[in-house]
Amino acid sequence: MDLQALRQEAEKLQDQIVKWRRDLHQIPEIGLDLPKTSAYIEQALRDMGIPVKTKVGKSGVVGLIEGGEPGPTFALRADMDALPIQEETGLPFASRHPGCMHACGHDTHMAMLLGAAKLLLAHRAELKGKVKLIFQPAEEGPGGAEPMIRDGVLADPPVEAILGLHIGSIFKEVPAGAIGVGYGSLMASLDRFYIKVIGKGGHGAMPETTVDPVVITATLIGALQQLVSREQKPTHPLVLTIGRIQGGTAYNVIPSFVELEGTVRAIREDERQNIARRMEEVVAGITQAMRGSYEFKYNFGYPPLITDEAVTRHVEQTARELLGPEAVITISEPTMGGEDMAFFLERVPGTFIFLGGANPAKGIVRTHHSPTFDVDEDVFWRGTAVLAASALTWPDRKD
Ligand code: NI
């Protein structure tokens, strides 16, 4: 496989990828139900002559490219959903859906994967095996990977390895157009918890007749933070954030309960399970010791994202050959953000790579999930090239 020729073909697709991206950027949709986005992707794939399955995991779209020779199936995954944010970029192709914006770059992921599909089709004869193109909804929540897996996206034909890509500035060390790769745990689990501290309300001047849930909560918050500072190995990252706390209605009334909500991020599954268990023990112990009671709900969301060594090495080598060694950055420490690509990586070996999309020289610096988020469009062909080349060369590396 001549990767330099493939690189040039990818460069020639740049304008087409930009067009797809701008079209998709104007029609952002949220969650699991993405009628316009799914229809757009379906049409683009059909126009290329690729067989398509729709409504996989509600609104997921799956294309299949069959190579000229038998071999394994390699999957490429792009997420499709946007965020409930009012766009303020002022771009000519800004969102036409009020209160909705592609503020995480998933529009570019779809466009780059369509570009990869086009390259793969052109090289179908050389392709050993099949490439499954997975367009997934609801990455930003409630999660689209799991429903697609339940709907059989990894079967028939069975997926042997998978690759996903994220654009932007999630890892600051990856400059514009470079590819960041990482080994092992790269992103954290994303869990949510709810605690209700139940006391007994009453007159603010007569605390002896009440059980004050505000004071119990004050003790509880400190104790929960100590699970991280005193029970977790200091060199292992773990986050416990209480983002919402609510209780009381008047300055002189002791309320009957206080509610807390928050998130836990871990990069190791055993530590994740451990803190979930220890949190409830602490909540139970403290509320009981202080004469109150509680409700505790811990919702396990996305698991830690863990890359497979062999697939990561393959993609890293491919990107080096394709774009030059200086364009590939090895990520040294994980981010505590989460990604539901992790569900695919739990089931099949694969990896998740990062395409630098911020570009301070062009003033493109705003962070993900901000109303002025944007990316450097000039990098798109590079993402497309790495996706297509990694899929095309995968079986070769295996024998
Ligand atoms: Ni994202």
Side-chain angles (χ1 to χ4, degrees), residues 222-301:
L224 288 173
Q225 290 306 326
Q226 285 168 39
L227 292 177
V228 179
S229 75
R230 298 294 84 183
E231 295 190 18
Q232 175 74 1
K233 190 173 180 179
T235 50
H236 288 190
L238 181 67
V239 175
L240 189 164
T241 291
I242 295 162
R244 184 177 79 84
I245 171 166
Q246 217 150 12
T249 52
Y251 84 99
N252 57 353
V253 175
I254 291 169
S256 57
F257 65 89
V258 171
E259 289 179 302
L260 302 99
E261 265 193 301
T263 184
V264 169
R265 310 296 173 106
I267 67 159
R268 289 170 175 81
E269 187 58 33
D270 57 333
E271 293 171 353
R272 177 194 194 198
Q273 298 294 333
N274 183 61
I275 193 166
R277 185 177 52 80
R278 286 290 295 137
M279 281 178 74
E280 181 155 16
E281 288 173 2
V282 166
V283 172
I286 286 178
T287 52
Q288 193 206 12
M290 297 179 80
R291 301 177 299 145
S293 59
Y294 72 96
E295 276 173 34
F296 180 80
K297 287 180 210 150
Y298 192 99
N299 183 268
F300 287 93

Side-chain angles (χ1 to χ4, degrees), residues 6-7 9-11 13-14 17 20 74 76-78 105 108-120 133 163-168 174-180 315 318-319 322-323 327 353-357 376-392:
L6 195 75
R7 174 190 163 122
E9 290 166 47
E11 283 181 75
L13 278 179
Q14 170 66 15
I17 303 167
W20 281 321
F74 193 96
L76 297 172
R77 174 269 199 182
T108 78
H109 301 164
M110 292 182 274
M112 287 186 278
L113 186 50
L114 288 174
K118 207 150 190 168
L119 283 183
L120 287 162
L133 310 161
L163 167 63
L165 173 151
H166 207 301
I167 201 169
V174 184
I179 298 287
V315 175
T318 306
L322 200 60
L323 304 174
I353 58 171
F354 299 85
L355 171 64
D376 182 357
E377 291 186 320
D378 292 343
V379 308
F380 291 170
W381 67 268
R382 299 167 75 90
T384 286
V386 173
L387 291 172
S390 298
L392 265 172

Side-chain angles (χ1 to χ4, degrees), residues 79 104 106 139-140 166:
D79 42 12
C104 196
H106 300 183
E139 191 285 317
E140 303 285 1
H166 207 301

